[in-house]
Amino acid sequence: QVQLVESGGGLVQPGGSLRLSCAASGFPFSIYAMSWYRQVPGKERELVASMSPAGGSPNYANSVKGRFTISRDNAKHTVYLQMNGLKPEDTAVYYCSTWVFIRYWGQGTQVTVSS
């Protein structure tokens, strides 16, 4: 079955960096687009970044453009989110996701940006 396991979240000061990872299994990773979403309590889950199967055509939310970078290693079945210049408003639970007939989600990893 499809499994997505995120890691790399934590507490970081404003201006700091974190790198999230998502290990995928149970489906042919290299032919599916991958995405990162985030959610804060009381708000809808929002798309942060997405990437095509071959690793091109990344898309970003306006709020993270120029600060976050999505990448993927198809050999390792892993997608990454490099987050630089973090701001308090980036605080959220970050989820890895893909669409394989239905939408699948990881369990999420908490990112907290605070001094």
Side-chain angles (χ1 to χ4, degrees), residues 1-5 22-27 34 77 96 98 104-106:
Q1 70 276 25
V2 174
Q3 286 193 320
L4 302 170
V5 180
C22 171
S25 61
F27 66 103
M34 297 297 298
H77 290 198
C96 174
T98 191
Y104 287 91
W105 302 97

Side-chain angles (χ1 to χ4, degrees), residues 8 12 21 34 52 58 60 73 75 81 87 91 103 106:
V12 63
S21 299
M34 297 297 298
S52 65
Y60 298 97
D73 186 331
L81 186 68
K87 304 175 181 180
T91 296
R103 171 73 57 189

Side-chain angles (χ1 to χ4, degrees), residues 5 13 26 29 44 50 60 62 70 76 81 86 89 92 94:
V5 180
Q13 292 187 342
F29 180 82
E44 290 188 0
S50 62
Y60 298 97
N62 287 334
I70 187 172
K76 294 183 178 180
L81 186 68
L86 283 161
E89 52 264 43
Y94 283 72

Side-chain angles (χ1 to χ4, degrees), residues 43-113:
K43 292 190 176 182
E44 290 188 0
R45 197 168 293 188
E46 65 168 346
L47 178 65
V48 175
S50 62
M51 176 165 271
S52 65
S57 305
N59 291 298
Y60 298 97
N62 287 334
S63 58
V64 307
K65 279 181 181 177
R67 300 187 298 122
F68 290 11
T69 302
I70 187 172
S71 62
R72 63 190 293 163
D73 186 331
N74 285 347
K76 294 183 178 180
H77 290 198
T78 301
V79 61
Y80 305 96
L81 186 68
Q82 178 67 43
M83 305 185 294
N84 299 328
L86 283 161
K87 304 175 181 180
E89 52 264 43
D90 294 318
T91 296
V93 178
Y94 283 72
Y95 297 91
C96 174
S97 181
T98 191
W99 182 279
V100 184
F101 303 112
I102 64 172
R103 171 73 57 189
Y104 287 91
W105 302 97
Q107 84 287 354
T109 186
Q110 176 71 47
V111 172
T112 302
V113 185

